[in-house]
Amino acid sequence: MNAAATPPASQAEQDLSVEGLAAHTGVTVRNIRAYTTAGLLPPPRLRGRLGLYGDEHVQRLGLIRELRDQGFGIEAIRRIFERAPASSWPDLVAVARSVSGSLFAEETPVVVSSEALAAKWNGQMTPALLARAVKAGLMRELPDGQVQMLSPALGQVAEQLAALGLPLEAAIGMQETMARTLRTVARHWLRTLADSLLGGDAIDPTRTAQLLEKARPLATGAVQAAFPVILQQELDTLLRKTA
């Protein structure tokens, strides 16, 4: 075979059908086409009637997934692609990952055995309840069977609620609601910051990381300041209804 007829390995690796791109990135074919229509992905290179996708599509989809997970909208992501050079995309992905689930996190996680965890609540911690706590983002099961408590303080709160007679299932239910609410708050903060960061002509990943790092204690302080006020207002409303 003529050597010129054989594409280089790097070129061959870049030639992905839309189904191959979906399998490679974990993004559905439907979403790939939707992102293309929205202008987030460039059209594929055509070989006859077959559309072929390359490294840029893979990189863009990786960044899109990370930013969508953080609550960034389509328009915000489009502005990132317009104003951030491709060389900065890995840095932006790293920033997005570092912020994920940690905007309010300031504690050092604690690892405990599953047996010790169950003993904390007099055997109430069933595999089903542990799965719910893991899904809520409050705990993480490790490969060796131990459990990482991402917020030891929350664990102590659950223990204190159990001591007051509240079933562990109810305590976890309360924490699930709190986790969902705070995740919504965190994503709103991130979207607001993103709008500010994307307001200029260029995006600086270093400045982005610095701003998000400074925003963490401010966000924590805002939640700590607002929650007691809102809790008292809701308590007053409840007492008026039961009076």
Side-chain angles (χ1 to χ4, degrees), residues 40-155:
L40 300 185
L41 291 176
R45 180 172 57 84
L46 293 178
R47 179 186 293 169
R49 299 182 62 182
L50 178 63
L52 297 175
Y53 298 81
D55 286 347
E56 181 182 0
H57 298 93
V58 173
Q59 293 174 16
R60 281 178 177 253
L61 284 173
L63 182 55
I64 289 170
R65 287 190 65 179
E66 295 287 349
L67 295 178
R68 290 293 285 167
D69 286 346
Q70 300 305 319
F72 284 64
I74 296 298
E75 184 57 34
I77 297 173
R78 182 184 292 112
R79 281 184 282 170
I80 287 177
F81 287 133
E82 289 173 351
R83 299 173 184 176
S87 61
S88 71
W89 294 351
D91 294 327
L92 290 169
V93 169
V95 169
R97 286 174 177 166
S98 69
V99 173
S100 178
S102 67
L103 185 61
F104 299 102
E106 294 183 337
E107 294 184 75
T108 300
V110 172
V111 175
V112 298
S113 67
S114 56
E115 294 80 7
L117 191 64
K120 284 179 176 292
W121 293 288
N122 299 320
Q124 294 186 58
M125 178 60 83
T126 64
L129 289 180
L130 177 59
R132 286 174 54 182
V134 170
K135 184 176 180 180
L138 306 175
M139 299 181 185
R140 180 181 297 134
E141 288 188 277
L142 302 178
D144 62 1
Q146 297 190 97
V147 177
Q148 186 180 49
M149 301 180 67
L150 299 180
S151 173
L154 275 178

Side-chain angles (χ1 to χ4, degrees), residues 1 55 180 196:
M1 179 180 290
D55 286 347
R180 285 194 300 268
S196 173

Side-chain angles (χ1 to χ4, degrees), residues 164-188:
L164 293 174
L166 190 73
L168 179 60
E169 181 175 7
I172 289 180
M174 293 168 65
Q175 293 188 353
E176 286 174 324
T177 300
M178 181 182 63
R180 285 194 300 268
T181 302
L182 289 181
R183 204 172 299 281
T184 299
V185 172
R187 287 177 175 172
H188 177 75

Side-chain angles (χ1 to χ4, degrees), residues 4 6 28 32 35 37 63 66 74 85 88 121 123 139 141 144 151 161 163 169 178 190 197-198 202-203 224-225 236:
T6 304
T28 65
I32 290 172
Y35 292 148
T37 301
L63 182 55
E66 295 287 349
I74 296 298
S88 71
W121 293 288
M139 299 181 185
E141 288 188 277
D144 62 1
S151 173
L161 288 172
E169 181 175 7
M178 181 182 63
L190 288 172
L197 290 167
L198 299 174
I203 299 173
Q224 291 174 338
D236 293 341

